[in-house]
Amino acid sequence: MTAPDRLAEPAASEEERAGQDHFDRIIAEDSRIEPRDWMPAAYRKTLTRQVSQHAHSEIIGMQPEANWITRAPSLKRKSILMAKVQDEAGHGLYLYSAAETLGTPRHELNQQLLEGRAKYSSIFNYPARTWADMGAIGWLVDGAAICNQVPLCRASYGPYGRAMVRICKEESFHQRQGWEILYELSHGTPEQKQMAQDAVNRFYGPALQMFGPPDGDSPHSQQSMAWNIKRFSNDELRQRFVDMMVPQAEALGLTLPDPDLKWNEERGHYDYGALDWNEFKTVLSGAGPCNVQRMQRRRQAHAEGAWVREAAVAYAAKMAERAAEQTEQTERTDRQLIGA
Amino acid sequence: MSFASHDSATKISAGSAISAEEIAASGATAEPDVATYALYLGDDALMLAQRLGWWIARAPELEEDIALSNIALDQLGHARFLLTYAGTAWGKTEDDLAYFRDEEEFRSCRLVEQENGDFGQTIARQLIFSYYQHELFRRLVDSNDATLSAIADKALKEVQYHQDHAAQWVLRLGIGTPESHERMQKGLYYLWPYVDELFHDDDLTRDLSERGIAVLPSSLRADFDRRIAELLAEAELEVPDLPGAWGGDRSGEFSEHRGHILAEMQVLARQHPGATW
Amino acid sequence: MTTDITSTEGTTGTTTEWPLWEVFVRSSRGLSHVHAGSLHAPDATMALRNARDLYTRRNEGTSVWVVPSAVIASSDPDSKGGYFESAQGKAYRHATYYTKSEGVKHL
């Protein structure tokens, strides 16, 4: 038992070297890694963390919007919002599927979330106080998410890229409906316009923080870019987003809450003011306005659903048992008929 | 934005079916009695959608969040068709009717206004209502009223699925574990007093059904009872033996819950009368 | 309810985890079913319904297959050479290999 095992070790590492070579070649060719390929443990771990956090964000992200489904001010808006929140559940599922191919089952990923061992996007820890927040979340939060996600369609891990393609296709309506909500409000009564401006004021900064810490302060970014998971740096994506948002805000007739925001002819981009990274860290670490509430609701749904999930499993087992009994019965009858 | 995808399984489209906007644009005008009948059906769908909407992000499993929101979206769609059509009689929009009527002006039945309770109670409500709606729309497709017939045609296909969803869960909860069996049975007992009301005939439905426009509610009962009894027997559950709850005939009798549902549903729209969204 | 969130067991001690299923969608008649993704469901009946709700919300399909992920056998990526090398270099299996007939119609 002991001696052959020790002897086998160098062979295993040779296999690993071959695996690493194969992996490196695929990354260098900008091709895709698939679930059963050999991959470095750190690549698997990084992706599992990133994809599951992304999935958790979709699931927790349902809550601030679900909060307004029963109060949506028109039946059309109610339908749109319901369809959008439903999409988010779907996107969470696509992403959990992708994460599961890396070897961790969904219930384990879910446990990590429920026990507070996994993170999700800090943006969803802000309250959705007014109807205009449905607009700001769609336009700014989904806008930032799409900006992040489009390059992820080319992520080196096949299942992740494919999930992102599907998500990006479906999400194109999310940002537009948000912009349209704000457009209606900013062209409505003075109270409605004020509501819209207030929502943009509250969500703009946190939306810019969705791209993550500045490049100098983002330890994992370098490695993720080397692995072709990430294609652009946090700051590059943030700049791209700001440049897109300025004219869209103008078209809405709303202002972006940044006194330092101005066009820089030389750079060909908008300059923008410093973000409050202390706030970001505080919210991400659990002390945001709604962290406790969001987690509580997720835990409650999971705990209260246990008896239902259990019943479905028990039913499946009983039916399988009955089917097996029936087959046996039939076979016995057949044998009797044949006279065997 | 374009995505280079050759994956044919992700081809997406809106499909073709009637929409509330099309009904509004069609120029069809309901006569007042037909409009009131459309409110009976539309208010039921609206209240149920409102109740089901609560489940989103609270369901027992993520897949079920999606299933329940699909059903809620379908019901909301039915409500929009029916309220839009009803509104043509009085020059009102679906939103005028949904957001600016008071409690006593709604015509929903008490069943759809009942609380969600646990998942067993929600499934019990889904079972009763989807089986009833299925019998209703199956016959309403033959209505002399072209708009009601078209709405029923679209809705029937969706309700077939709601019915199946409810039946699948009734089987699983009824047979699954002792706990699920008990919860499912309790849900049925809790809601059974509100079954009779669904099949109550009044002057309006009697008159409209004689004219081939509406379906006489009492004519649906036998099929409903038979099919529910078959399913519950298969699910090892009993059909509750309870009398119908007193009152409730869509003429202004309604549950305590209605006021709460409307308070939540209408609050924002009423804070900004005349606003567009 | 006092169900422990850290437990994967229900109140009677049986597991509450639903198995994984792979979903294949036929987007229109005449085309093959294509792998769309996966989901969890307690049995095949529910897996089909969940697949319909999750993968055909935008009219993507006319038919759906679900297969328990556990029963799919797949080729070993490490022995890629052995599996797929043989098909390489057999250009004579392809019509483009035959050039003498260029210019001859209907061939």
Side-chain angles (χ1 to χ4, degrees):
Chain A
M1 188 65 208
T2 50
D5 265 357
R6 261 205 302 278
L7 284 175
E9 264 184 43
S13 80
E14 199 174 296
E15 208 173 282
E16 217 157 86
R17 259 199 306 279
Q20 181 77 50
D21 285 349
H22 185 238
F23 176 86
D24 290 343
R25 201 163 51 245
I26 290 176
I27 296 293
E29 286 168 0
D30 199 4
S31 180
R32 299 291 176 269
I33 302 295
E34 292 295 342
R36 300 197 62 212
D37 285 328
W38 185 93
M39 60 187 93
Y43 178 84
R44 188 184 297 276
K45 194 176 157 194
T46 298
L47 268 169
T48 303
R49 192 188 59 226
Q50 180 173 336
V51 181
S52 63
Q53 282 182 9
H54 198 157
H56 300 330
S57 301
E58 296 280 356
I59 299 308
I60 298 289
M62 293 166 71
Q63 291 183 31
E65 289 173 293
N67 176 35
W68 277 94
I69 287 175
T70 52
R71 292 176 293 166
S74 77
L75 296 185
K76 182 178 92 173
R77 293 284 166 211
K78 193 192 288 285
S79 312
I80 294 169
L81 188 61
M82 217 184 253
K84 179 174 189 278
V85 178
Q86 187 196 37
D87 270 353
E88 281 151 13
H91 297 172
L93 289 180
Y94 302 158
L95 288 160
Y96 281 128
S97 294
E100 281 191 279
T101 63
L102 290 156
T104 314
R106 187 168 101 197
H107 67 88
E108 254 177 72
L109 299 170
N110 190 40
Q111 287 306 326
Q112 291 171 6
L113 173 68
L114 298 183
E115 289 165 20
R117 286 185 286 128
K119 289 192 163 45
Y120 55 86
S121 182
S122 69
I123 192 85
F124 302 116
N125 290 316
Y126 289 89
R129 288 192 198 123
T130 70
W131 172 251
D133 292 8
M134 298 303 96
I137 290 175
W139 177 48
L140 294 170
V141 176
D142 291 322
I146 291 170
C147 215
N148 248 327
Q149 288 167 355
V150 169
L152 287 172
C153 295
R154 295 191 293 125
S156 60
Y157 188 58
Y160 190 28
R162 291 193 285 275
M164 290 317 315
V165 168
R166 183 177 275 273
I167 290 171
C168 284
K169 271 189 183 183
E170 297 188 352
E171 245 178 28
S172 49
F173 104 80
H174 293 187
Q175 193 185 13
R176 282 192 184 192
Q177 66 84 36
W179 191 88
E180 205 184 276
I181 287 174
L182 292 175
Y183 184 87
E184 290 289 349
L185 294 176
S186 66
H187 291 75
T189 65
E191 291 79 16
Q192 283 180 304
K193 183 163 186 180
Q194 181 53 43
M195 194 194 284
Q197 185 61 60
D198 169 65
V200 170
N201 290 350
R202 283 182 288 114
F203 277 95
Y204 180 69
L208 290 196
Q209 292 176 341
M210 285 172 67
F211 295 96
D215 292 348
D217 194 20
S218 178
H220 302 300
S221 282
Q222 285 281 315
Q223 180 60 70
S224 283
M225 287 179 74
W227 277 331
N228 290 346
I229 298 172
K230 238 176 124 69
R231 300 287 178 162
F232 301 96
S233 79
N234 295 353
D235 286 332
E236 280 173 321
L237 290 170
R238 188 164 16 243
Q239 181 70 62
R240 185 182 293 184
F241 181 67
V242 171
D243 291 348
M244 285 192 298
M245 289 300 106
V246 174
Q248 292 182 11
E250 280 166 10
L252 285 172
L254 298 173
T255 55
L256 295 174
D258 178 1
D260 299 327
L261 188 67
K262 63 170 187 295
W263 179 250
N264 183 326
E265 193 63 52
E266 206 172 302
R267 291 202 307 127
H269 292 291
Y270 283 92
D271 290 336
Y272 56 93
L275 295 166
D276 186 349
W277 292 107
N278 184 37
E279 172 186 330
F280 177 74
K281 281 176 192 143
T282 307
V283 176
L284 194 64
S285 67
C290 298
N291 298 54
V292 176
Q293 171 189 337
R294 302 283 186 249
M295 287 308 297
Q296 170 65 15
R297 174 149 167 194
R298 197 65 239 136
R299 287 180 183 137
Q300 198 176 340
H302 185 74
E304 289 179 359
W307 70 272
V308 178
R309 297 192 299 276
E310 187 188 1
V313 170
Y315 173 85
K318 281 185 188 172
M319 289 302 118
E321 211 174 286
R322 286 182 197 178
E325 273 168 26
Q326 203 148 31
T327 313
E328 207 180 306
Q329 187 91 40
T330 318
E331 279 170 6
R332 220 177 5 246
T333 320
D334 285 352
R335 278 199 300 275
Q336 281 162 358
L337 284 173
I338 299 164
Chain B
M1 224 171 307
S2 72
F3 304 98
S5 165
H6 306 292
D7 182 354
S8 61
T10 62
K11 191 185 80 176
I12 61 181
S13 78
S16 60
I18 52 163
S19 65
E21 287 84 353
E22 278 168 20
I23 291 172
S26 73
T29 308
E31 58 168 283
D33 277 357
V34 176
T36 302
Y37 180 64
L39 286 183
Y40 284 18
L41 311 189
D43 288 346
D44 281 355
L46 181 58
M47 293 292 181
L48 186 61
Q50 190 72 6
R51 281 301 194 201
L52 289 173
W54 179 89
W55 272 106
I56 302 175
R58 288 191 176 91
E61 187 52 282
L62 297 173
E63 279 83 356
E64 196 54 31
D65 270 311
I66 295 183
L68 287 172
S69 44
N70 245 356
I71 296 171
L73 267 175
D74 286 344
Q75 291 293 342
L76 186 53
H78 304 172
R80 295 187 61 200
F81 302 151
L82 289 157
L83 295 191
T84 298
Y85 185 46
T88 60
W90 308 298
K92 290 186 185 297
T93 66
E94 53 176 349
D95 289 336
D96 294 335
L97 292 172
Y99 292 95
F100 294 95
R101 272 183 300 159
D102 292 334
E103 278 96 322
E104 65 276 11
E105 296 172 278
F106 276 78
R107 290 290 169 266
S108 40
C109 62
R110 289 175 298 176
L111 176 77
V112 291
E113 295 171 0
Q114 300 303 308
E115 305 103 317
N116 287 317
D118 66 3
F119 188 69
Q121 187 171 315
T122 289
I123 290 299
R125 193 182 57 203
Q126 281 306 109
L127 174 76
I128 297 166
F129 196 68
S130 64
Y131 272 55
Y132 152 76
Q133 262 192 330
H134 181 260
E135 295 308 321
L136 170 66
F137 289 138
R138 198 159 68 82
R139 291 162 174 84
L140 195 62
V141 291
D142 298 324
S143 171
N144 291 338
D145 184 290
T147 308
L148 285 181
S149 164
I151 293 171
D153 184 55
K154 159 82 172 148
L156 177 62
K157 292 171 206 149
E158 293 172 348
V159 168
Q160 275 165 352
Y161 193 82
H162 305 171
Q163 202 179 221
D164 175 68
H165 173 267
Q168 294 300 338
W169 273 116
V170 166
L171 288 169
R172 279 157 186 77
L173 300 183
I175 297 173
T177 65
E179 181 182 2
S180 70
H181 177 87
E182 193 190 324
R183 285 177 182 257
M184 187 66 235
Q185 189 69 69
K186 270 189 183 160
L188 287 166
Y189 267 96
Y190 184 80
L191 295 167
W192 210 256
Y194 306 106
V195 170
D196 278 357
E197 183 185 351
L198 299 172
F199 304 99
H200 177 85
D201 300 336
D202 60 13
D203 290 343
L204 181 86
T205 46
R206 268 190 291 266
D207 173 52
L208 289 180
S209 64
E210 270 165 31
R211 292 164 55 200
I213 293 169
V215 177
L216 192 65
S218 61
S219 71
L220 311 173
R221 185 75 199 243
D223 283 339
F224 171 88
D225 282 344
R226 180 180 47 78
R227 298 189 57 235
I228 289 274
E230 277 169 15
L231 178 74
L232 293 187
E234 191 187 344
E236 299 166 12
L237 292 159
E238 57 187 69
V239 179
D241 182 18
L242 287 175
W246 185 261
D249 58 4
R250 295 184 188 270
S251 63
E253 296 285 339
F254 52 92
S255 77
E256 269 184 2
H257 310 298
R258 186 186 286 175
H260 293 282
I261 296 173
L262 295 186
E264 191 174 2
M265 185 172 85
Q266 297 177 334
V267 60
L268 178 60
R270 289 191 175 205
Q271 276 170 359
H272 302 268
T276 51
W277 303 93
Chain C
M1 293 297 293
T2 54
T3 314
D4 178 7
I5 59 143
T6 62
S7 166
T8 59
E9 292 183 347
T11 43
T12 59
T14 42
T15 178
T16 60
E17 304 314 328
W18 292 351
L20 189 65
W21 300 76
E22 300 300 322
V23 179
F24 299 81
V25 175
R26 184 202 295 286
S27 63
S28 59
R29 290 181 172 278
L31 296 178
S32 306
H33 286 79
V34 173
H35 186 234
S38 59
L39 51 75
H40 288 263
D43 53 42
T45 309
M46 294 306 275
L48 271 177
R49 282 150 184 81
N50 292 346
R52 173 261 196 193
D53 289 343
L54 182 57
Y55 289 104
T56 68
R57 292 198 304 288
R58 286 177 173 79
N59 240 9
E60 292 95 332
T62 59
S63 163
V64 176
W65 287 349
V66 292
V67 182
S69 306
V71 304
I72 293 184
S74 67
S75 58
D76 182 356
D78 295 336
S79 53
K80 188 175 171 228
Y83 267 90
F84 304 113
E85 188 58 37
S86 165
Q88 307 262 336
K90 293 190 172 64
Y92 48 81
R93 279 198 200 274
H94 302 267
T96 47
Y97 179 75
Y98 306 91
T99 53
K100 297 252 161 72
S101 51
E102 258 167 37
V104 181
K105 284 183 179 172
H106 308 302
L107 193 69

